[in-house]
Amino acid sequence: MAIVTYILRKGEPLTKEELEEIEALKNMKDEDIDFSDIPKITPEEAKQFKRVNPKCKAAN
């Protein structure tokens, strides 16, 4: 499942367009996302990453 993060403007309601975009993103399937423009990460690069969420229980 894809995770979408939206930063809301404090005190301002979302516009109709923003609500429609959020709804479209919620309904999007993972296979509909185009990752072709994202470069591959090498194993050496991946070793440099550090977990920033201590509650995350991802496999090591």
Side-chain angles (χ1 to χ4, degrees):
M1 171 185 278
I3 297 174
V4 176
T5 302
Y6 234 88
I7 299 174
L8 301 177
R9 298 175 304 262
K10 190 172 185 175
E12 294 181 38
L14 295 175
T15 66
K16 179 182 175 187
E17 291 78 19
E18 290 168 328
L19 291 170
E20 289 172 353
E21 182 180 357
I22 290 171
E23 193 61 32
L25 290 170
K26 284 177 19 181
N27 294 324
M28 182 182 286
K29 297 178 184 170
D30 287 349
E31 55 268 15
D32 294 335
I33 301 171
D34 178 12
F35 295 103
S36 65
D37 60 338
I38 301 173
K40 300 280 185 196
I41 296 174
T42 66
E44 293 78 24
E45 290 172 319
K47 288 178 186 176
Q48 296 177 10
F49 292 119
K50 294 181 183 175
R51 189 180 312 163
V52 295
N53 183 349
K55 295 181 182 179
C56 180
K57 298 186 185 207
N60 291 327

